[in-house]
Amino acid sequence: GFHNRFGAGSNFSALFSENNEESSEYISGLVFLAVFFFIIFLMWGISLLIFVCVGKKKVGVLAGGSFPMKTDPRLVLGIRIFFLICCLLVIIYSSLFLTRGVRS
């Protein structure tokens, strides 16, 4: 089969397997990815805090300053609604893909 995650299998059903070695291997891969993304998020948050403390005059937009734009409030609302619908569809299709993939 197809292998990823540093040589570990990508079969989601291994998580619910009777074989403890397969399930612990899959769980360790999930924990590794969660910790990896948390470290990236933490570094990103710390860098944002540093930029905010330094100030707009020295780092500009990196400090959280917005660009002055004149936009129609209806356009902004439409973009937000479109974005929320897309996010909802990603969640729905991901859960359908996950449940259908486990059944087959």
Side-chain angles (χ1 to χ4, degrees):
F2 181 75
H3 291 283
N4 61 4
R5 293 187 303 113
F6 309 108
S10 61
N11 188 2
F12 177 73
S13 63
L15 185 61
F16 306 108
S17 171
E18 296 292 326
N19 188 351
N20 287 336
E21 183 179 327
E22 285 183 8
S23 63
S24 66
E25 181 181 308
Y26 196 87
I27 289 172
S28 66
L30 289 177
V31 169
F32 172 77
L33 285 175
V35 169
F36 177 74
F37 285 125
F38 177 73
I39 289 172
I40 289 176
F41 174 74
L42 193 65
M43 289 173 37
W44 175 66
I46 290 171
S47 65
L48 283 179
L49 284 175
I50 291 171
F51 290 143
V52 167
C53 291
V54 169
K56 276 189 195 181
K57 290 186 179 182
K58 291 189 178 179
V59 292
V61 178
L62 293 175
S66 61
F67 296 109
M69 297 187 323
K70 296 179 181 177
T71 56
D72 185 16
R74 292 181 303 172
L75 178 66
V76 173
L77 180 65
I79 292 172
R80 288 181 181 173
I81 290 173
F82 178 75
F83 179 75
L84 287 174
I85 290 171
C86 288
C87 290
L88 184 63
L89 287 174
V90 165
I91 292 170
I92 290 171
Y93 286 130
S94 296
S95 61
L96 284 174
F97 179 70
L98 182 66
T99 56
R100 296 288 181 180
V102 170
R103 288 184 191 158
S104 59

